């Protein structure tokens, strides 16, 4: 009887999971409807003068002594953003979660914190969706052209994605970077796209997989991605009059993706320009807009960025009133 009960329970759980699974078209529409979110570039490059630091930069450099992901979430909320997306591992290979795949992670840093955990908990507490960024290119672990061991390194990637997609609740989208890009030169054969894609969907069927380099393919179709992406800083522009595909456009409110020492006093991108020339027109063209705000070395967002986000909400509200 006990075995039968367990079997029935497993069948019920399986059926419940299947019933909750959504079609790709529905997931794409829901993504577009999220409209506006926060990109958060925060990782070991935060503590270096450049976005691509020494691949052997010591773990001890990562030391955000005042880390407060709740501040990030409240700042996103103030701008009427609906989600966040955190750089769990950037191109230098440093992992900011509790991973068993490498010692090069935040748990071995002076702060000994699982930043992904704190971020996910903080954003959900504010009612915001959680997305994750993950780089295939990994210079620390020599996951770069000329050093690819497809079987070994694919296994490492899958192990890292398994942890991220099973330990942090529902992940709305996984934004993948450093794959099939001219500057990374890691092809979809070096690290098999279909194998990684199927792996993600096996763990979270409702998690969208988005390759940030998808804009290089013809705009009429989705190739190697669930969502068409446009990195504006790299010159990728979406047509607000012709686009018919679910899309994402990204830009940083600051001058670079990761924090730099001048940023507390730097002039940020104009709030009215962000609203009128980006958020609103893109939203009307099936495009979700994600704005990067880089936390500083303390683990906090600078005052000027926090204040700018408050003004973005004012700008969006005035746009709605005019409509």
């Amino acid at each position: 009887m006990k075995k039968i009960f367990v079997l029935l329970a497993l069948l019920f759980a399986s059926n419940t999971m299947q019933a909750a699974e959504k079609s790709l078209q529905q997931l794409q529409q829901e993504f577009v409807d999220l409209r506006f979110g926060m990109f958060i570039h925060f990782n070991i490059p935060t503590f270096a003068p450049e976005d691509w630091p020494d691949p052997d930069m010591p773990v001890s450099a990562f030391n955000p002594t005042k880390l407060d992901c709740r501040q990030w979430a409240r700042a996103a909320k103030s701008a009427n953003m609906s989600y966040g997306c955190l750089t769990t591992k950037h191109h230098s290979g440093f992992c900011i979660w509790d991973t068993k795949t490498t010692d090069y992670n935040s748990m071995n840093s002076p702060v000994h914190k699982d930043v992904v955990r704190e971020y996910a908990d903080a954003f959900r507490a504010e009612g915001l969706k959680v997305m994750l960024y993950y780089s295939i290119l990994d210079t620390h672990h020599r996951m770069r052209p000329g050093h690819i061991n497809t079987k070994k390194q694919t296994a490492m990637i899958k192990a890292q994605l398994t942890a991220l997609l099973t330990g942090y609740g529902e992940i709305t989208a996984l934004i993948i970077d450093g794959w099939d890009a001219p500057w990374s030169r890691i092809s979809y054969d070096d690290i098999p796209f279909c194998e990684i894609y199927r792996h993600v969907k096996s763990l979270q069927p409702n998690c969208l997989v988005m390759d940030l380099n998808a804009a290089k393919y013809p705009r009429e179709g989705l190739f190697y991605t669930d969502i068409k992406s446009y990195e504006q800083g790299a010159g990728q522009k979406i047509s607000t009059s012709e686009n018919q595909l679910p899309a994402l456009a990204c830009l940083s409110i600051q001058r670079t993706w990761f924090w730099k020492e001048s940023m507390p006093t730097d002039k940020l991108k104009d709030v009215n320009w962000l609203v009128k020339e980006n958020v609103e027109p893109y939203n009307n063209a099936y495009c979700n807009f994600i704005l990067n705000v880089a936390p500083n070395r303390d683990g906090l967002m600078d005052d000027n960025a926090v204040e700018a986000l408050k003004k973005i909400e004012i700008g969006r509200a005035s746009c709605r009133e005019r409509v």
Side-chain angles (χ1 to χ4, degrees), residues 100-282:
K100 308 303 182 207
T101 61
T102 176
D103 291 334
Y104 201 54
N105 68 71
S106 59
M107 297 302 292
N108 292 322
S109 74
V111 292
H112 191 70
K113 287 186 176 180
D114 184 332
V115 183
V116 176
R117 171 78 58 208
E118 297 202 11
Y119 149 75
D121 289 349
F123 271 66
R124 289 198 179 98
E126 292 294 332
L128 303 171
K129 301 283 187 183
V130 172
M131 301 183 192
L132 302 176
Y133 165 108
Y134 179 89
S135 174
I136 295 292
L137 177 65
D138 182 336
T139 55
H140 178 81
H141 298 97
R142 309 305 186 252
M143 205 173 297
R144 55 187 174 84
H147 297 264
I148 299 294
N149 178 322
T150 297
K151 185 175 181 180
K152 179 181 177 180
Q153 294 176 335
T154 298
M156 180 178 175
I157 289 170
K158 289 169 74 173
Q160 291 183 341
L161 292 177
T162 296
L164 290 171
L165 294 171
T166 60
Y168 300 92
E170 181 181 356
I171 305 302
T172 300
L174 178 69
I175 297 180
I176 300 180
D177 199 6
W179 205 2
D180 197 45
W183 44 266
S184 76
R185 294 177 288 120
I186 297 177
S187 74
Y188 291 134
D189 293 320
D190 292 332
I191 303 295
F193 178 85
C194 289
E195 187 173 344
I196 299 300
Y197 184 89
R198 285 195 298 265
H199 183 67
V200 171
K201 297 295 185 177
S202 73
L203 298 169
Q204 290 208 31
N206 291 335
C207 178
L208 289 163
V209 177
M210 182 168 58
D211 188 349
L212 272 183
N213 301 298
K216 77 176 193 177
Y217 294 101
R219 68 182 183 184
E220 294 80 11
L222 292 171
F223 299 88
Y224 300 100
T225 190
D226 290 333
I227 302 290
K228 199 80 169 177
S229 61
Y230 296 86
E231 185 178 335
Q232 292 169 269
Q236 299 168 2
K237 302 294 182 182
I238 185 172
S239 170
T240 55
S241 61
E242 298 179 11
N243 180 59
Q244 297 293 321
L245 296 174
L248 174 82
C250 59
L251 191 66
S252 183
I253 195 170
Q254 295 138 324
R255 62 184 176 85
T256 56
W257 291 107
F258 285 97
W259 189 86
K260 301 293 180 287
E261 290 183 356
S262 66
M263 284 184 175
T265 56
D266 277 351
K267 183 178 180 181
L268 305 180
K269 290 184 175 62
D270 180 71
V271 169
N272 289 328
W273 177 79
L274 284 169
V275 173
K276 295 176 183 178
E277 301 298 325
N278 294 274
V279 181
E280 296 293 343
Y282 291 173

Side-chain angles (χ1 to χ4, degrees), residues 8-9 11 15 33 47 80 111 113 131 133 145 173 175 182 222 237 253 270 281 290 292 294 305 307 313:
L8 289 173
L11 287 172
N15 289 336
D33 290 343
F47 300 85
N80 202 30
V111 292
K113 287 186 176 180
M131 301 183 192
Y133 165 108
I175 297 180
L222 292 171
K237 302 294 182 182
I253 195 170
D270 180 71
I290 185 168
N292 185 70
E307 289 305 309
E313 166 55 13

